[in-house]
Amino acid sequence: MKLFGLICLWAVLTTCQGYRILGLFPFNGKSHFVMFEQMMKALARKGHHVDVVSTFPLKKPYKNYNDLVALKASWQFLNNMTFNDMKTMLLPGISQAVAHLCGNEVCKFLSHPRLQELVKNPPKDPPYDVVFVEIFGAHCFIAIGHLLKVPVIGVSSATLYPWHNDIIGNPENLAFAPNNLLSFSQPMSFLDRTYNFLHTTYHKLNFQSYASKQTEIIREYFGEDMPDIRTLERSVAMIFVNSFRSINGIKDSTPGYIEVGGVHVQEDGVEVSPSLEKWMNESTSGFFYLSFGSMIKIESFPIKFLNVLYKSLGKLAPVRVLMKIPSPNELPPGLPKNILTSPWIPQLKVLKHPNIKGFITHGGLMGTQEAIHYGVPLIGIPLFADQFINIKNYVQQNIAIEIDHNTLTEEKMDNALNAVLHDPKYRESARKLSKMFLDRPMNTTETVVYWTEYIIRHGADALRSPSMDLTWWQVQLLDVYVFLLFVALLSIILLISAMRFAFSMISVEETDSHKKKIS
């Protein structure tokens, strides 16, 4: 009986130590949610009670993880974006597209009855201790944390976009670090730095202009006394960012910028079919893996592009190729015999396999981090957003070769494939970078758990940058520079005036002396 009592007491104490966490991830981007899901699971494993609002409910139950609301998105991105869709979506510009399609439109989910009920009658036994919100386009969901009166932690599945740094007062480093929509090499030239500044400023203001509509949406659903969207953004306690210095470079940052790059690389629950396992094991000459992520349909690309792939990849035999193709039946005829296609592939298991030779990718941060984790070299064909700078970084570190999809030729593809296949520097550099990427004082899940609990223990202002209390010109010391310039100019003016006065006095004395001599 004593033993039973002690076990019950231990169970009660363990349960009491858990916090209640609300994760709000309404954007229908599977590649984004892969990261968020693993973070929520890490907190659940620690014993915290996690409620999640998303468009991707779990297929299998997970202890302490509860799909509170399963949202239904009007537009399915998963394996459903064609080449033309991509071009159309990006036509107005990336900042406008994110603000409207991934922001304002997503904010309409705030009208969901379950979310309205959550805000009006929040749980009290126990209440929520912290709210997680994706930092991308739909920052309106920070309003729920405001109404629940708990700290809000941001999560970004990419390095911060130009319109994100101000949220936590993070330095932008525009003198030596291009924003993540550009692909300039470092060190940047004077013209590169000038363009970096202008480009960053434009997209920041453009996003803020189009996303300002979120203030109206928030007040429509939660009342006219709600703060505006800019004020809500600046209440974020910190941001977990999917980056790490070994692959994204050295940058100044505020303590509220917490790097957890690669947190999604978790093999738990990832299964590979016996047929695919057999195919990989039998690929004794090696194989390449080709995937453009969870949204883009490779089969929708122009026929010229696909013909180049067919010809170049076919020449690799007996080296094989594994291609993720959502709709293989939409591919043009003539697929080489050394290519295996599948609408879904357990990517981690594929990248970990000893027979893999390289990863042909669009440069998405999630997939390339997985490749780096396992030391796999890359052939990058970037399409949009941060994919260009991701691949540029990898090229500089000798783990990747970049190809422009607009100018892809059979010769360029052949050269890239042969280089990755036969030049040992790419594999050696990838393995070296893998070691650097994984060498950290705490692993990524430990980092997420520690800093989440830190904010809950010490409050939303625990990591708040003092720069948040200053205007942008004060942060840049423009007022100090103007004052010092004024002092310098005033000193010069006073010095010149003093010298003129002295010369005039000397001249008067000389004139008086001359007159006395004459008289």
Side-chain angles (χ1 to χ4, degrees), residues 2 31 47 63 65 114 139 182-183 185 215 236 251 303-304 350-351 367 383 425 429 442 445 454 456 498:
K2 286 186 177 180
S31 59
K63 186 179 179 181
Y65 185 117
R114 291 288 302 277
H139 302 162
L182 297 173
S183 58
S185 299
T215 298
V236 171
K251 300 174 184 178
I303 190 66
K304 181 181 177 182
V350 170
L351 292 171
L383 303 175
K425 80 173 183 180
S429 297
M442 288 192 293
T445 54
Y454 183 92
I456 294 173

Side-chain angles (χ1 to χ4, degrees), residues 204-271:
K204 183 187 298 185
L205 296 176
N206 200 42
F207 175 85
Q208 291 176 351
S209 174
Y210 283 96
S212 61
K213 184 181 178 181
Q214 294 182 27
T215 298
E216 300 173 21
I217 297 173
I218 291 167
R219 290 173 178 170
E220 176 184 354
Y221 297 132
F222 297 135
E224 290 298 323
D225 58 342
M226 288 293 294
D228 63 81
I229 187 63
R230 298 284 88 82
T231 301
L232 287 171
E233 285 177 338
R234 293 168 69 86
S235 69
V236 171
M238 68 178 183
I239 303 177
F240 285 118
V241 185
N242 188 28
S243 67
F244 194 63
R245 66 185 72 92
S246 60
I247 62 174
N248 299 107
I250 305 297
K251 300 174 184 178
D252 299 331
S253 62
T254 179
Y257 181 103
I258 309 293
E259 292 193 303
V260 290
V263 68
H264 68 289
V265 187
Q266 306 288 336
E267 293 185 52
D268 182 34
V270 180
E271 299 177 355

Side-chain angles (χ1 to χ4, degrees), residues 24-168:
L24 301 172
F25 311 114
F27 174 60
N28 189 35
K30 180 62 175 178
S31 59
H32 294 221
F33 188 72
V34 166
M35 174 187 179
F36 311 149
E37 178 185 330
Q38 293 302 335
M39 293 178 67
M40 296 298 101
K41 285 182 174 179
L43 291 163
R45 286 195 299 271
K46 187 67 188 299
H48 302 308
H49 179 86
V50 178
D51 291 331
V52 177
V53 176
S54 77
T55 58
F56 300 101
L58 298 185
K59 295 179 180 179
K60 296 180 180 179
Y62 200 88
K63 186 179 179 181
N64 297 330
Y65 185 117
N66 172 44
D67 283 305
L68 187 68
V69 183
L71 301 171
K72 299 294 183 183
S74 57
W75 186 14
Q76 294 297 323
F77 287 100
L78 184 61
N79 290 333
N80 197 41
M81 184 180 289
T82 66
F83 183 83
N84 289 331
D85 288 337
M86 177 188 71
K87 293 293 185 182
T88 302
M89 185 183 74
L90 297 175
L91 195 60
I94 185 67
S95 51
Q96 183 177 337
V98 172
H100 177 66
L101 188 61
C102 310
N104 301 345
E105 290 298 309
V106 176
C107 287
K108 294 177 181 178
F109 279 129
L110 290 174
S111 64
H112 194 286
R114 291 288 302 277
L115 293 180
Q116 289 288 311
E117 179 64 21
L118 177 70
V119 169
K120 293 175 183 175
N121 298 295
K124 297 181 176 60
D125 188 25
Y128 286 115
D129 296 289
V130 71
V131 170
F132 278 76
V133 174
E134 178 178 11
I135 299 300
F136 185 51
H139 302 162
C140 53
F141 279 80
I142 299 171
I144 293 180
H146 171 81
L147 290 168
L148 295 177
K149 295 180 174 58
V150 296
V152 174
I153 294 175
V155 192
S156 176
S157 62
T159 55
L160 296 188
Y161 286 95
W163 51 89
H164 290 157
N165 285 291
D166 289 345
I167 293 176
I168 53 172

Side-chain angles (χ1 to χ4, degrees), residues 193-479:
R193 287 185 286 117
T194 301
Y195 188 81
N196 189 33
F197 169 75
L198 295 175
H199 186 272
T200 300
T201 303
Y202 167 77
H203 281 288
K204 183 187 298 185
L205 296 176
N206 200 42
F207 175 85
Q208 291 176 351
S209 174
Y210 283 96
S212 61
K213 184 181 178 181
Q214 294 182 27
T215 298
E216 300 173 21
I217 297 173
I218 291 167
R219 290 173 178 170
E220 176 184 354
Y221 297 132
F222 297 135
E224 290 298 323
D225 58 342
M226 288 293 294
D228 63 81
I229 187 63
R230 298 284 88 82
T231 301
L232 287 171
E233 285 177 338
R234 293 168 69 86
S235 69
V236 171
M238 68 178 183
I239 303 177
F240 285 118
V241 185
N242 188 28
S243 67
F244 194 63
R245 66 185 72 92
S246 60
I247 62 174
N248 299 107
I250 305 297
K251 300 174 184 178
D252 299 331
S253 62
T254 179
Y257 181 103
I258 309 293
E259 292 193 303
V260 290
V263 68
H264 68 289
V265 187
Q266 306 288 336
E267 293 185 52
D268 182 34
V270 180
E271 299 177 355
V272 59
S273 67
S275 60
L276 179 56
E277 184 73 42
K278 182 174 182 292
W279 184 92
M280 291 191 293
N281 291 338
E282 291 177 351
S283 300
T284 53
S285 296
F287 68 90
F288 279 88
Y289 171 51
L290 192 158
S291 171
F292 281 180
S294 62
M295 294 192 296
I296 299 296
K297 297 179 68 174
I298 297 176
E299 59 271 34
S300 70
F301 274 57
I303 190 66
K304 181 181 177 182
F305 180 94
L306 294 176
N307 282 338
V308 168
L309 287 185
Y310 276 26
K311 291 176 181 178
S312 291
L313 297 177
K315 294 177 193 174
L316 287 173
V319 175
R320 293 172 161 184
V321 180
L322 178 62
M323 292 179 65
K324 177 186 175 293
I325 301 292
S327 303
N329 60 305
E330 294 180 15
L331 283 170
L335 187 72
K337 294 181 179 179
N338 65 324
I339 297 179
L340 174 67
T341 65
S342 176
W344 180 86
I345 292 173
Q347 188 160 284
L348 288 177
K349 295 293 187 181
V350 170
L351 292 171
K352 186 181 180 180
H353 198 279
N355 286 341
I356 191 167
K357 297 297 183 181
F359 180 23
I360 305 170
T361 171
H362 63 315
L365 197 54
M366 298 293 180
T368 55
Q369 284 178 345
E370 291 168 6
I372 290 169
H373 183 100
Y374 295 114
V376 178
L378 309 166
I379 294 176
I381 309 177
L383 303 175
F384 58 87
D386 63 335
Q387 296 162 12
F388 294 95
I389 197 167
N390 293 341
I391 295 299
K392 183 68 70 176
N393 286 339
Y394 305 148
V395 169
Q396 290 181 325
Q397 297 178 81
N398 290 324
I399 70 163
I401 297 173
E402 180 179 4
I403 303 176
D404 185 342
H405 75 275
N406 293 305
T407 60
L408 178 67
T409 64
E410 190 176 340
E411 180 183 10
K412 290 179 181 178
M413 195 70 200
D414 288 347
N415 291 339
L417 290 167
N418 287 324
V420 170
L421 196 58
H422 301 296
D423 190 340
K425 80 173 183 180
Y426 294 102
R427 173 68 69 170
E428 291 169 2
S429 297
R431 287 172 176 167
K432 180 180 178 181
L433 184 58
S434 176
K435 291 180 180 179
M436 290 181 63
F437 184 60
L438 299 175
D439 191 356
R440 315 184 193 193
M442 288 192 293
N443 67 36
T444 51
T445 54
E446 290 170 344
T447 302
V448 167
V449 170
Y450 174 80
W451 287 109
T452 298
E453 293 175 347
Y454 183 92
I455 288 297
I456 294 173
R457 288 194 301 266
H458 303 296
D461 293 338
L463 299 177
R464 191 173 188 273
S465 170
S467 68
M468 301 291 288
D469 299 320
L470 303 174
T471 60
W472 67 269
W473 62 83
Q474 289 174 321
V475 172
Q476 299 297 328
L477 291 178
L478 294 184
D479 51 345

Side-chain angles (χ1 to χ4, degrees), residues 177-189:
N179 75 54
N180 68 341
L181 297 176
L182 297 173
S183 58
F184 293 147
S185 299
Q186 293 176 302
M188 292 185 288
S189 67

